[in-house]
Coordinates of all heavy atoms in Angstrom, one line a residue:
H1 N 28.5 -134.4 125.8 CA 29.2 -135.6 126.3 C 29.8 -136.4 125.1 O 29.2 -136.5 124.1 CB 28.2 -136.6 127.0 CG 27.6 -136.0 128.2 ND1 27.7 -134.7 128.6 CD2 26.8 -136.6 129.1 CE1 27.0 -134.5 129.7 NE2 26.5 -135.7 130.1
A2 N 31.0 -136.8 125.3 CA 31.7 -137.5 124.2 C 32.2 -138.9 124.7 O 32.8 -138.9 125.8 CB 32.9 -136.7 123.7
Y3 N 31.9 -139.9 124.0 CA 32.3 -141.3 124.5 C 33.0 -142.0 123.3 O 32.8 -141.6 122.2 CB 31.1 -142.1 124.9 CG 30.3 -141.5 126.0 CD1 29.2 -140.6 125.8 CD2 30.7 -141.7 127.3 CE1 28.6 -140.1 126.9 CE2 30.1 -141.1 128.4 CZ 29.0 -140.3 128.2 OH 28.3 -139.7 129.2
S4 N 33.8 -143.0 123.6 CA 34.5 -143.7 122.6 C 33.8 -145.0 122.3 O 34.1 -146.1 122.9 CB 35.9 -144.0 123.0 OG 36.7 -144.5 121.9
W5 N 32.8 -145.0 121.5 CA 32.0 -146.1 121.1 C 32.1 -146.3 119.6 O 32.4 -145.4 118.8 CB 30.5 -145.9 121.4 CG 30.2 -146.0 122.9 CD1 30.8 -146.7 123.9 CD2 29.3 -145.2 123.6 NE1 30.3 -146.5 125.1 CE2 29.3 -145.6 125.0 CE3 28.3 -144.2 123.2 CZ2 28.5 -145.0 125.9 CZ3 27.5 -143.7 124.1 CH2 27.6 -144.1 125.5
M6 N 31.7 -147.5 119.2 CA 31.6 -147.9 117.7 C 30.3 -148.6 117.6 O 30.0 -149.5 118.4 CB 32.8 -148.7 117.3 CG 32.7 -149.1 115.8 SD 34.2 -150.0 115.3 CE 33.8 -151.6 116.0
Q7 N 29.6 -148.3 116.6 CA 28.3 -149.0 116.3 C 28.6 -150.3 115.6 O 29.4 -150.4 114.6 CB 27.4 -148.2 115.4 CG 26.0 -148.6 115.4 CD 25.3 -148.5 116.8 OE1 25.6 -147.7 117.6 NE2 24.4 -149.4 117.0
T8 N 28.0 -151.4 116.1 CA 28.2 -152.8 115.4 C 26.8 -153.3 115.2 O 25.8 -152.7 115.5 CB 29.0 -153.7 116.3 OG1 28.2 -154.1 117.5 CG2 30.3 -153.1 116.8
L9 N 26.8 -154.5 114.6 CA 25.5 -155.2 114.3 C 24.8 -155.5 115.6 O 23.5 -155.6 115.7 CB 25.7 -156.4 113.5 CG 26.2 -156.2 112.1 CD1 26.4 -157.5 111.4 CD2 25.2 -155.4 111.3
L10 N 25.5 -155.7 116.7 CA 24.9 -156.0 118.0 C 24.6 -154.8 118.9 O 24.2 -154.9 120.0 CB 25.8 -157.0 118.8 CG 26.0 -158.3 118.2 CD1 27.0 -159.1 119.0 CD2 24.7 -159.1 118.0
G11 N 24.9 -153.6 118.3 CA 24.7 -152.4 119.1 C 26.1 -151.7 119.2 O 27.0 -152.0 118.4
R12 N 26.2 -150.8 120.2 CA 27.5 -150.1 120.3 C 28.4 -150.9 121.2 O 28.0 -151.6 122.1 CB 27.3 -148.7 120.8 CG 26.7 -148.6 122.1 CD 26.4 -147.2 122.5 NE 25.9 -147.1 123.8 CZ 25.2 -146.2 124.4 NH1 25.0 -145.1 123.6 NH2 24.8 -146.2 125.6
T13 N 29.7 -150.7 121.0 CA 30.7 -151.3 121.8 C 31.8 -150.3 122.2 O 32.1 -149.4 121.4 CB 31.3 -152.5 121.1 OG1 32.2 -153.2 122.0 CG2 32.1 -152.1 119.9
G14 N 32.4 -150.4 123.4 CA 33.4 -149.5 123.8 C 34.7 -149.8 123.1 O 35.1 -151.0 123.0
I15 N 35.4 -148.8 122.6 CA 36.7 -149.1 121.9 C 37.7 -148.0 122.3 O 37.4 -147.0 122.9 CB 36.5 -149.0 120.3 CG1 35.9 -147.7 119.9 CG2 35.7 -150.2 119.8 CD1 35.8 -147.5 118.4
H16 N 39.0 -148.3 121.9 CA 40.1 -147.4 122.3 C 39.9 -146.0 121.5 O 39.3 -146.0 120.4 CB 41.4 -148.0 122.0 CG 41.7 -148.4 120.6 ND1 42.2 -147.5 119.6 CD2 41.5 -149.6 119.9 CE1 42.3 -148.1 118.5 NE2 41.9 -149.4 118.6
P17 N 40.4 -144.9 122.1 CA 40.2 -143.6 121.5 C 40.8 -143.4 120.2 O 40.3 -142.5 119.4 CB 40.8 -142.7 122.6 CG 41.8 -143.5 123.3 CD 41.2 -144.9 123.3
E18 N 41.9 -144.1 119.8 CA 42.5 -143.9 118.5 C 41.8 -144.6 117.4 O 42.1 -144.3 116.2 CB 44.0 -144.3 118.6 CG 44.8 -143.7 119.6 CD 44.8 -144.4 120.9 OE1 44.1 -145.4 121.1 OE2 45.6 -144.0 121.8
H19 N 40.8 -145.4 117.6 CA 40.2 -146.2 116.6 C 39.5 -145.2 115.6 O 38.9 -144.2 116.0 CB 39.1 -147.1 117.2 CG 38.6 -148.2 116.3 ND1 37.7 -147.9 115.3 CD2 38.9 -149.5 116.2 CE1 37.5 -149.0 114.6 NE2 38.1 -150.0 115.1
N20 N 39.6 -145.5 114.3 CA 39.1 -144.5 113.3 C 37.6 -144.5 113.3 O 37.0 -143.5 112.8 CB 39.7 -144.8 111.9 CG 39.2 -146.1 111.4 OD1 38.8 -147.0 112.1 ND2 39.4 -146.3 110.1
M21 N 36.9 -145.4 113.9 CA 35.4 -145.4 114.0 C 34.9 -144.9 115.3 O 33.7 -144.9 115.6 CB 34.9 -146.8 113.7 CG 35.2 -147.3 112.3 SD 34.5 -146.3 111.0 CE 32.7 -146.7 111.2
S22 N 35.8 -144.5 116.2 CA 35.4 -144.1 117.6 C 34.5 -142.8 117.5 O 34.8 -141.9 116.8 CB 36.6 -143.7 118.4 OG 36.2 -143.1 119.6
T23 N 33.4 -142.8 118.2 CA 32.5 -141.7 118.2 C 33.2 -140.5 119.0 O 32.7 -139.4 118.9 CB 31.2 -142.0 118.9 OG1 31.4 -142.5 120.2 CG2 30.4 -143.0 118.1
L24 N 34.3 -140.7 119.6 CA 35.1 -139.7 120.3 C 35.6 -138.6 119.2 O 35.8 -137.5 119.5 CB 36.3 -140.2 121.0 CG 36.9 -139.3 122.1 CD1 35.9 -138.8 123.1 CD2 38.1 -140.1 122.7
H25 N 35.7 -139.0 118.0 CA 36.1 -138.1 116.9 C 35.0 -137.1 116.6 O 35.3 -136.1 115.9 CB 36.4 -138.9 115.6 CG 37.6 -139.7 115.8 ND1 38.9 -139.2 116.0 CD2 37.8 -141.1 115.8 CE1 39.8 -140.2 116.1 NE2 39.1 -141.3 116.0
E26 N 33.8 -137.2 117.2 CA 32.8 -136.2 117.1 C 33.3 -134.8 117.6 O 32.9 -133.8 117.2 CB 31.5 -136.6 117.8 CG 30.8 -137.8 117.1 CD 29.7 -138.3 118.0 OE1 29.5 -137.9 119.1 OE2 29.0 -139.2 117.4
V27 N 34.2 -134.9 118.6 CA 34.8 -133.7 119.2 C 35.5 -132.9 118.1 O 35.4 -131.7 118.0 CB 35.7 -134.0 120.3 CG1 36.4 -132.8 120.9 CG2 35.0 -134.7 121.5
N28 N 36.3 -133.6 117.2 CA 36.9 -132.9 116.1 C 35.9 -132.3 115.2 O 36.2 -131.2 114.7 CB 37.8 -133.9 115.3 CG 38.9 -134.5 116.1 OD1 39.4 -133.8 117.0 ND2 39.3 -135.7 115.8
D29 N 34.8 -132.9 115.0 CA 33.7 -132.3 114.1 C 33.2 -131.0 114.8 O 33.0 -130.0 114.1 CB 32.6 -133.2 113.9 CG 33.0 -134.5 113.1 OD1 34.0 -134.4 112.4 OD2 32.3 -135.5 113.2
M30 N 33.0 -131.0 116.1 CA 32.6 -129.8 116.8 C 33.6 -128.7 116.7 O 33.3 -127.5 116.5 CB 32.4 -130.1 118.3 CG 31.1 -130.9 118.6 SD 30.8 -131.0 120.4 CE 32.0 -132.2 120.9
I31 N 34.9 -129.0 116.8 CA 36.0 -128.0 116.7 C 36.0 -127.4 115.3 O 36.1 -126.2 115.1 CB 37.3 -128.6 117.1 CG1 37.3 -129.0 118.6 CG2 38.5 -127.7 116.7 CD1 38.5 -129.8 119.0
R32 N 35.9 -128.3 114.3 CA 35.9 -127.8 112.9 C 34.7 -126.8 112.6 O 34.8 -125.8 112.0 CB 35.8 -128.9 111.9 CG 37.2 -129.5 111.6 CD 37.2 -130.5 110.4 NE 36.4 -131.7 110.7 CZ 36.9 -132.8 111.3 NH1 38.1 -132.8 111.7 NH2 36.1 -133.8 111.5
F33 N 33.5 -127.2 113.2 CA 32.3 -126.4 113.0 C 32.5 -125.0 113.7 O 32.3 -124.0 113.2 CB 31.1 -127.0 113.6 CG 29.9 -126.1 113.6 CD1 29.1 -125.9 112.4 CD2 29.5 -125.5 114.8 CE1 28.0 -125.1 112.4 CE2 28.4 -124.6 114.8 CZ 27.7 -124.4 113.6
R34 N 33.0 -125.1 115.0 CA 33.3 -123.9 115.8 C 34.3 -123.0 115.0 O 34.1 -121.8 114.9 CB 33.8 -124.3 117.1 CG 34.1 -123.2 118.1 CD 35.4 -122.4 118.1 NE 36.6 -123.2 117.8 CZ 37.4 -123.7 118.8 NH1 37.1 -123.5 120.0 NH2 38.4 -124.4 118.4
D35 N 35.3 -123.6 114.5 CA 36.3 -122.8 113.8 C 35.8 -122.1 112.6 O 36.1 -120.9 112.3 CB 37.5 -123.6 113.4 CG 38.4 -124.1 114.6 OD1 38.2 -123.5 115.7 OD2 39.2 -125.0 114.4
A36 N 34.8 -122.7 111.9 CA 34.2 -122.1 110.7 C 33.1 -121.1 111.1 O 33.0 -120.1 110.4 CB 33.6 -123.2 109.8
A37 N 32.3 -121.4 112.1 CA 31.1 -120.6 112.4 C 31.4 -119.6 113.5 O 30.8 -118.5 113.4 CB 29.9 -121.5 112.7
L38 N 32.1 -119.9 114.5 CA 32.3 -119.1 115.7 C 33.8 -119.1 116.1 O 34.0 -119.6 117.2 CB 31.4 -119.6 116.8 CG 29.9 -119.6 116.5 CD1 29.1 -120.4 117.5 CD2 29.4 -118.1 116.6
P39 N 34.7 -118.6 115.3 CA 36.1 -118.7 115.7 C 36.3 -118.1 117.1 O 35.8 -117.0 117.4 CB 36.8 -117.9 114.6 CG 35.9 -117.8 113.5 CD 34.5 -117.9 114.1
G40 N 37.1 -118.8 117.9 CA 37.4 -118.3 119.2 C 36.4 -118.6 120.3 O 36.7 -118.4 121.5
M41 N 35.3 -119.1 120.0 CA 34.3 -119.5 121.0 C 34.8 -120.8 121.7 O 35.2 -121.7 121.0 CB 32.9 -119.8 120.3 CG 31.9 -120.3 121.2 SD 31.2 -119.1 122.4 CE 30.3 -118.1 121.3
P42 N 34.8 -120.8 123.0 CA 35.3 -122.0 123.7 C 34.3 -123.2 123.6 O 33.1 -123.0 123.4 CB 35.4 -121.6 125.2 CG 34.5 -120.4 125.3 CD 34.4 -119.7 123.9
I43 N 34.9 -124.4 123.6 CA 34.1 -125.6 123.7 C 34.4 -126.3 125.0 O 35.5 -126.4 125.4 CB 34.5 -126.5 122.5 CG1 34.1 -125.9 121.2 CG2 33.8 -127.9 122.7 CD1 34.5 -126.7 120.0
F44 N 33.3 -126.6 125.7 CA 33.5 -127.3 127.0 C 33.0 -128.7 126.9 O 31.8 -128.9 126.6 CB 32.7 -126.5 128.1 CG 33.2 -125.1 128.3 CD1 32.5 -124.0 127.6 CD2 34.3 -124.8 129.1 CE1 33.0 -122.7 127.8 CE2 34.7 -123.5 129.3 CZ 34.1 -122.5 128.6
L45 N 33.8 -129.7 127.2 CA 33.4 -131.1 127.4 C 33.1 -131.3 128.8 O 34.0 -131.2 129.7 CB 34.5 -132.0 126.9 CG 34.7 -132.0 125.4 CD1 35.9 -133.0 125.1 CD2 33.5 -132.4 124.6
T46 N 31.9 -131.6 129.1 CA 31.5 -131.8 130.5 C 31.6 -133.2 130.9 O 31.7 -133.5 132.1 CB 30.0 -131.4 130.7 OG1 29.2 -132.1 129.9 CG2 29.9 -129.9 130.4
E47 N 31.8 -134.1 130.0 CA 31.9 -135.6 130.3 C 32.4 -136.3 129.1 O 32.0 -136.0 128.0 CB 30.5 -136.1 130.7 CG 30.5 -137.6 131.1 CD 29.2 -138.0 131.6 OE1 28.5 -137.3 132.4 OE2 28.8 -139.1 131.2
W48 N 33.3 -137.2 129.3 CA 33.8 -138.1 128.2 C 34.3 -139.3 128.7 O 34.7 -139.4 129.9 CB 34.8 -137.3 127.3 CG 36.1 -137.1 127.9 CD1 36.4 -136.0 128.7 CD2 37.3 -137.8 127.8 NE1 37.7 -136.1 129.1 CE2 38.3 -137.2 128.6 CE3 37.6 -139.0 127.2 CZ2 39.5 -137.7 128.8 CZ3 38.9 -139.5 127.3 CH2 39.8 -138.8 128.1
G49 N 34.4 -140.4 128.0 CA 34.9 -141.6 128.4 C 34.2 -142.9 128.0 O 33.7 -143.0 126.9
W50 N 34.2 -143.8 129.0 CA 33.7 -145.2 128.7 C 32.9 -145.6 129.9 O 33.2 -145.2 131.1 CB 34.8 -146.1 128.5 CG 35.7 -145.7 127.3 CD1 35.6 -146.3 126.1 CD2 36.7 -144.8 127.3 NE1 36.5 -145.7 125.2 CE2 37.2 -144.7 126.0 CE3 37.3 -143.9 128.2 CZ2 38.2 -143.9 125.6 CZ3 38.3 -143.0 127.8 CH2 38.7 -143.0 126.5
D51 N 31.9 -146.5 129.7 CA 31.2 -147.1 130.9 C 32.1 -148.1 131.5 O 32.8 -148.9 130.8 CB 29.9 -147.7 130.4 CG 28.9 -146.7 129.9 OD1 29.0 -145.5 130.3 OD2 27.9 -147.1 129.2
S52 N 32.0 -148.2 132.8 CA 32.6 -149.3 133.6 C 31.7 -149.6 134.8 O 30.9 -148.8 135.2 CB 34.0 -149.0 134.0 OG 34.0 -148.0 135.0
A53 N 31.9 -150.8 135.3 CA 31.2 -151.2 136.5 C 31.7 -150.3 137.7 O 32.9 -150.0 137.7 CB 31.3 -152.7 136.8
G54 N 30.8 -149.9 138.5 CA 31.2 -149.1 139.7 C 30.2 -148.1 140.0 O 29.4 -147.8 139.1
G55 N 30.3 -147.5 141.1 CA 29.4 -146.4 141.5 C 27.9 -146.9 141.5 O 27.0 -146.1 141.2
G56 N 27.7 -148.2 141.8 CA 26.4 -148.7 141.9 C 25.8 -149.2 140.6 O 24.7 -149.6 140.5
E57 N 26.6 -149.1 139.5 CA 26.2 -149.6 138.2 C 26.9 -150.9 137.9 O 28.0 -151.2 138.4 CB 26.5 -148.6 137.1 CG 25.7 -147.3 137.3 CD 25.9 -146.3 136.2 OE1 26.5 -146.7 135.2 OE2 25.5 -145.1 136.4
D58 N 26.3 -151.7 137.1 CA 27.0 -153.0 136.7 C 27.2 -153.0 135.2 O 26.9 -152.0 134.5 CB 26.1 -154.2 137.1 CG 24.7 -154.2 136.5 OD1 24.5 -153.6 135.5 OD2 23.8 -154.8 137.1
C59 N 27.7 -154.1 134.7 CA 28.0 -154.2 133.3 C 27.2 -155.3 132.7 O 27.7 -156.1 131.8 CB 29.5 -154.5 133.1 SG 30.5 -153.0 133.2
N60 N 26.0 -155.5 133.1 CA 25.1 -156.5 132.5 C 24.8 -156.1 131.0 O 24.7 -155.0 130.7 CB 23.8 -156.6 133.3 CG 24.0 -157.1 134.7 OD1 24.9 -157.9 134.9 ND2 23.2 -156.7 135.6
P61 N 24.7 -157.2 130.2 CA 24.4 -156.9 128.8 C 23.0 -156.3 128.6 O 22.1 -156.6 129.4 CB 24.6 -158.3 128.1 CG 24.3 -159.2 129.2 CD 24.8 -158.6 130.5
P62 N 22.8 -155.5 127.5 CA 21.5 -155.1 127.2 C 20.6 -156.2 126.9 O 21.0 -157.3 126.5 CB 21.7 -154.1 126.0 CG 23.1 -154.3 125.6 CD 23.8 -155.1 126.6
A63 N 19.3 -156.0 127.0 CA 18.3 -157.0 126.7 C 18.5 -157.6 125.3 O 18.7 -156.8 124.4 CB 16.9 -156.5 126.9
G64 N 18.5 -158.9 125.2 CA 18.6 -159.5 123.8 C 20.0 -159.7 123.4 O 20.2 -160.3 122.3
V65 N 21.0 -159.4 124.2 CA 22.4 -159.6 123.8 C 23.0 -160.6 124.8 O 22.9 -160.5 126.0 CB 23.2 -158.3 123.9 CG1 24.7 -158.6 123.6 CG2 22.7 -157.3 122.9
S66 N 23.5 -161.7 124.2 CA 24.1 -162.7 125.1 C 25.5 -162.3 125.5 O 26.1 -161.5 124.9 CB 24.1 -164.1 124.3 OG 25.0 -164.0 123.2
G67 N 25.9 -162.9 126.6 CA 27.3 -162.7 127.1 C 27.2 -162.3 128.6 O 26.1 -162.1 129.1
T68 N 28.4 -162.1 129.1 CA 28.4 -161.8 130.6 C 28.6 -160.3 130.9 O 28.4 -159.9 132.0 CB 29.5 -162.6 131.2 OG1 30.8 -162.2 130.6 CG2 29.3 -164.1 131.1
A69 N 29.0 -159.6 129.9 CA 29.2 -158.1 130.1 C 28.7 -157.3 129.0 O 28.7 -157.8 127.8 CB 30.7 -157.8 130.4
S70 N 28.3 -156.1 129.2 CA 27.8 -155.2 128.2 C 29.0 -154.9 127.3 O 30.1 -154.6 127.8 CB 27.2 -154.0 128.8 OG 27.0 -153.0 127.8
P71 N 28.8 -154.8 126.0 CA 29.9 -154.5 125.1 C 30.3 -153.0 125.2 O 31.4 -152.7 124.8 CB 29.3 -154.8 123.7 CG 27.8 -154.8 123.8 CD 27.6 -155.2 125.3
V72 N 29.5 -152.2 125.8 CA 30.0 -150.8 126.0 C 30.8 -150.6 127.3 O 31.3 -149.6 127.5 CB 28.8 -149.8 126.0 CG1 28.0 -149.8 124.7 CG2 27.9 -150.0 127.2
C73 N 30.8 -151.7 128.1 CA 31.5 -151.6 129.4 C 32.9 -152.1 129.3 O 33.2 -153.1 128.7 CB 30.7 -152.5 130.4 SG 30.3 -151.8 131.9
L74 N 33.8 -151.3 129.9 CA 35.2 -151.6 129.9 C 35.6 -151.9 131.4 O 35.0 -151.4 132.3 CB 36.1 -150.5 129.4 CG 35.8 -150.0 128.0 CD1 36.7 -148.8 127.7 CD2 36.2 -151.1 127.0
S75 N 36.7 -152.6 131.6 CA 37.3 -152.7 132.9 C 37.8 -151.4 133.4 O 38.0 -150.5 132.6 CB 38.4 -153.7 132.9 OG 39.6 -153.2 132.3
E76 N 37.9 -151.2 134.7 CA 38.4 -149.9 135.2 C 39.8 -149.7 134.8 O 40.2 -148.5 134.5 CB 38.2 -149.9 136.7 CG 36.8 -149.7 137.2 CD 36.6 -149.6 138.7 OE1 37.6 -149.9 139.4 OE2 35.5 -149.3 139.1
A77 N 40.6 -150.7 134.6 CA 42.0 -150.6 134.2 C 42.0 -150.1 132.7 O 42.8 -149.2 132.4 CB 42.7 -151.9 134.3
A78 N 41.2 -150.7 131.9 CA 41.1 -150.2 130.5 C 40.6 -148.8 130.4 O 41.1 -148.0 129.6 CB 40.3 -151.2 129.6
Q79 N 39.6 -148.5 131.2 CA 39.1 -147.1 131.2 C 40.2 -146.1 131.6 O 40.3 -145.1 131.0 CB 37.9 -147.1 132.2 CG 37.2 -145.7 132.2 CD 36.0 -145.7 133.2 OE1 36.2 -146.1 134.3 NE2 34.9 -145.3 132.7
A80 N 41.0 -146.4 132.6 CA 42.1 -145.5 133.0 C 43.1 -145.3 131.9 O 43.5 -144.2 131.6 CB 42.7 -146.0 134.3
L81 N 43.5 -146.4 131.3 CA 44.5 -146.3 130.2 C 43.9 -145.5 129.0 O 44.6 -144.7 128.4 CB 44.9 -147.7 129.7 CG 45.7 -148.6 130.7 CD1 45.9 -150.0 130.2 CD2 47.1 -147.9 130.8
Y82 N 42.7 -145.8 128.6 CA 42.1 -145.1 127.5 C 41.9 -143.6 127.8 O 42.1 -142.7 126.9 CB 40.7 -145.7 127.1 CG 40.8 -147.0 126.5 CD1 39.6 -147.7 126.1 CD2 41.9 -147.7 126.2 CE1 39.6 -148.9 125.5 CE2 42.0 -148.9 125.6 CZ 40.8 -149.6 125.3 OH 40.8 -150.8 124.7
A83 N 41.6 -143.3 129.0 CA 41.4 -141.9 129.4 C 42.7 -141.1 129.2 O 42.7 -139.9 128.7 CB 40.9 -141.8 130.9
V84 N 43.8 -141.7 129.6 CA 45.1 -141.0 129.4 C 45.4 -140.8 128.0 O 45.8 -139.7 127.5 CB 46.2 -141.8 130.1 CG1 47.6 -141.2 129.8 CG2 46.0 -141.7 131.6
R85 N 45.1 -141.8 127.2 CA 45.4 -141.8 125.7 C 44.5 -140.9 125.0 O 44.8 -140.3 124.0 CB 45.4 -143.2 125.1 CG 46.6 -144.0 125.6 CD 46.5 -145.4 125.3 NE 45.8 -145.8 124.1 CZ 45.4 -147.1 123.9 NH1 45.6 -148.0 124.8 NH2 44.8 -147.4 122.8
G86 N 43.2 -140.7 125.5 CA 42.2 -139.9 124.8 C 42.3 -138.4 125.2 O 41.7 -137.6 124.5
A87 N 43.1 -138.1 126.2 CA 43.1 -136.7 126.7 C 43.8 -135.8 125.7 O 44.7 -136.2 124.9 CB 43.8 -136.7 128.0

């Protein structure tokens, strides 16, 4: 699973896929490792993206963090825009 998060002093936060600190860049690391160790071996991403409210889940902040929404949670509109740009 690959997600676009960045670690901050308050924990992780959801960020756009082009951000240089995005954990989504871990996919590039996997590709470089595969190319060096197992050229031609396919890589399958079974899940990637950002958290958002929906599907019975909410965006409440984690325990100990003030605010009205979890910093890893994005709006559905932002999630859709980021998904197109991150593809």
Side-chain angles (χ1 to χ4, degrees):
H1 297 11
Y3 300 94
S4 189
W5 290 324
M6 179 178 76
Q7 195 65 31
T8 69
L9 293 175
L10 297 176
R12 63 184 183 200
T13 187
I15 55 173
H16 61 85
E18 301 90 355
H19 194 285
N20 65 344
M21 297 297 291
S22 171
T23 56
L24 196 57
H25 293 296
E26 293 170 351
V27 175
N28 294 330
D29 295 337
M30 286 188 283
I31 292 169
R32 278 192 292 276
F33 173 80
R34 185 275 318 266
D35 289 348
L38 300 162
M41 177 72 71
I43 294 175
F44 298 96
L45 289 178
T46 59
E47 183 176 316
W48 67 277
W50 300 262
D51 290 342
S52 69
E57 296 183 14
D58 59 24
C59 284
N60 292 328
V65 175
S66 62
T68 59
S70 170
V72 300
C73 228
L74 300 174
S75 70
E76 289 183 348
Q79 186 181 49
L81 290 170
Y82 290 178
V84 170
R85 289 168 34 195

